[in-house]
Amino acid sequence: MPPQKSDFVSAPIGKTMLKTAVPMLAGTLALSGYNIADTYFIGKLGENELAAVGFTMPVAMFAGCIFHGLGTGMMTLVAHALGGERQERAASITTAGFALIILLTSLLALAGIFTMKPVFSLLGATPELHEMIQEYMLVWYIGTPLLVIGMAGNSILITAADSRLASTMMIVGMLINVILDPILIFGWWIIPGTGIFGGALATVISQGVSAVIILLLIWKKHHLISRVPLDFRFLQKVWLMVLRVAIPSILGMVLMPIGSAIVTKAISFFGKASVAGANAAARLEGVAFLVPMALGMSMMPMIGQNFGAKRFDRINQCRRFAMRFALAYELGLAVLIFLFAPQISAIFCSESPEGAEVMTQYLRIVPFGFGFLEAHRYSGFVFTGCNRPAASAWLSALRIIGCLIPFTLLAAKFGNMNWIFAARLSADVISGIIGMTCAHLLTWRLLRENTVK
């Protein structure tokens, strides 16, 4: 198939980003729908069940960051190849990348299964919660290869400028999950209710169906899976290329669940209700990032393709458009969340008045840093798309190690939950400002050097 010039490297920046982002709005809503559905239905089981799932969140984030890093490595190289109009190279990278993902996720899932008890004990889970936690995570670990194939596959679809199909697959997966959640959690007809085990199983089944369909689309429609058998020497070469981008990205992203784990540990000293309330609020954060996340999904492939095409002027325009949008949008949303925090908390913590109170305080403090957090993420996209993943990792380290962890530990000494939430807000604002400054300097340097040449 002859290479085609992508809109990412030829069409107007703002128009193209919005054209890609609009179809993704429903998809990003669907991603949040997983957490919203699980939080809502599991919350109906009681405070213990909601707290148990709360303790799984840092581990799920840790594994998810590793998997996302692998997908980022593959997607970045595919974007560079497509931007340079090298279709066959893009197909080879995609094929080898999926093989690497299946291998590594299977190994990591086995490691997770055999370390569940000590890991969750370190997070502060009480003995009464261990059995529920292990029920949930056993299913989750077994299903991780399917989950990651679907996640990486959607990224490839977006990189191929097919955001409409990517969004559709996210919606399909979410709908299956929403349908299966109440059936498998509470039971229906001849199907027995299995509690939080059923919640995890619903997620795995929905992700598995999506993964199979996504692979077929990448193969049949976009021809980005190689038809030629790849020998092991070639696989090794491509794997090293993917890992060269992926490893720094993974190192940066795994810091996020480490920070989340420390925050969860600090909150656990205030009791199960506090963990439940804070976890419910954290799971709803995805809703606040719906629109900026949709825009961000077009940002990485656009930057990657323009880097491959050496269109550094377009990279700079993309950065400015995205940053300004995220800051303005999240500020307006933070005000709305502040006003309606009690009503939101009453819905998702209906069985725990104390948890609802904690959730309300979280929603009235933390969201005012969301715009800066999104700008910080966008800065990482800029560096990774420009083949500088190590710099993206350093930005992540700055936020977690340099700001969030020390701020949280200091706040915990005051014995007040609100101080912990204020620590999160401060970390997001400071790291966001630094990230925006660094990304600005990078894009202008690339543009200046290219103009001189």
Side-chain angles (χ1 to χ4, degrees), residues 398-422:
L398 169 70
R399 177 177 176 265
I400 304 300
I401 299 177
C403 297
L404 183 61
I405 292 177
F407 291 177
T408 299
L409 294 177
L410 180 62
K413 292 184 178 296
F414 289 93
N416 188 311
M417 184 73 68
N418 289 344
W419 281 100
I420 294 178
F421 299 152

Side-chain angles (χ1 to χ4, degrees), residues 222-263:
H222 293 286
H223 308 283
L224 284 174
I225 293 182
S226 178
R227 295 174 179 271
V228 180
L230 305 178
D231 59 48
F232 187 67
R233 181 177 298 178
F234 180 81
L235 283 175
Q236 283 183 309
K237 180 180 179 181
V238 175
W239 286 358
L240 288 174
M241 292 169 57
V242 172
L243 290 173
R244 176 184 171 273
V245 179
I247 288 176
S249 181
I250 292 171
L251 292 176
M253 285 187 290
V254 295
L255 292 174
M256 295 172 61
I258 291 175
S260 177
I262 290 175
V263 172

Side-chain angles (χ1 to χ4, degrees), residues 67 70 95-109 144-146 148-149 215 239:
F67 304 150
L70 291 171
T95 306
F98 276 128
L100 179 63
I101 283 173
I102 292 171
L103 174 64
L104 292 183
T105 55
S106 298
L107 293 175
L108 288 170
T144 49
L146 293 174
V148 182
I149 288 172
L215 285 176
W239 286 358

Side-chain angles (χ1 to χ4, degrees), residues 36-167:
I36 292 173
D38 288 348
T39 300
Y40 178 78
F41 289 116
I42 292 174
K44 294 297 182 182
L45 293 172
E47 186 177 284
N48 281 346
E49 286 80 2
L50 191 58
V53 176
F55 278 107
T56 71
M57 193 174 180
V59 175
M61 287 178 61
F62 181 84
C65 288
I66 295 176
F67 304 150
H68 184 73
L70 291 171
T72 298
M74 182 171 70
M75 182 187 69
T76 301
L77 294 178
V78 170
H80 290 169
L82 291 176
E85 301 182 33
R86 293 171 291 175
Q87 177 77 18
E88 291 184 5
R89 180 178 177 83
S92 297
I93 292 171
T94 303
T95 306
F98 276 128
L100 179 63
I101 283 173
I102 292 171
L103 174 64
L104 292 183
T105 55
S106 298
L107 293 175
L108 288 170
L110 285 173
I113 289 172
F114 288 107
T115 58
M116 283 193 285
K117 188 170 183 178
V119 166
F120 288 105
S121 294
L122 286 174
L123 288 177
T126 58
E128 63 186 292
L129 298 180
H130 272 291
E131 184 176 350
M132 287 185 286
I133 290 172
Q134 291 184 38
E135 283 183 15
Y136 186 92
M137 291 305 295
L138 178 62
V139 180
W140 192 89
Y141 277 130
I142 292 173
T144 49
L146 293 174
L147 186 151
V148 182
I149 288 172
M151 176 171 38
N154 261 327
S155 296
I156 296 300
L157 287 177
I158 297 169
T159 304
D162 201 344
S163 62
R164 189 177 302 277
L165 263 181
S167 178

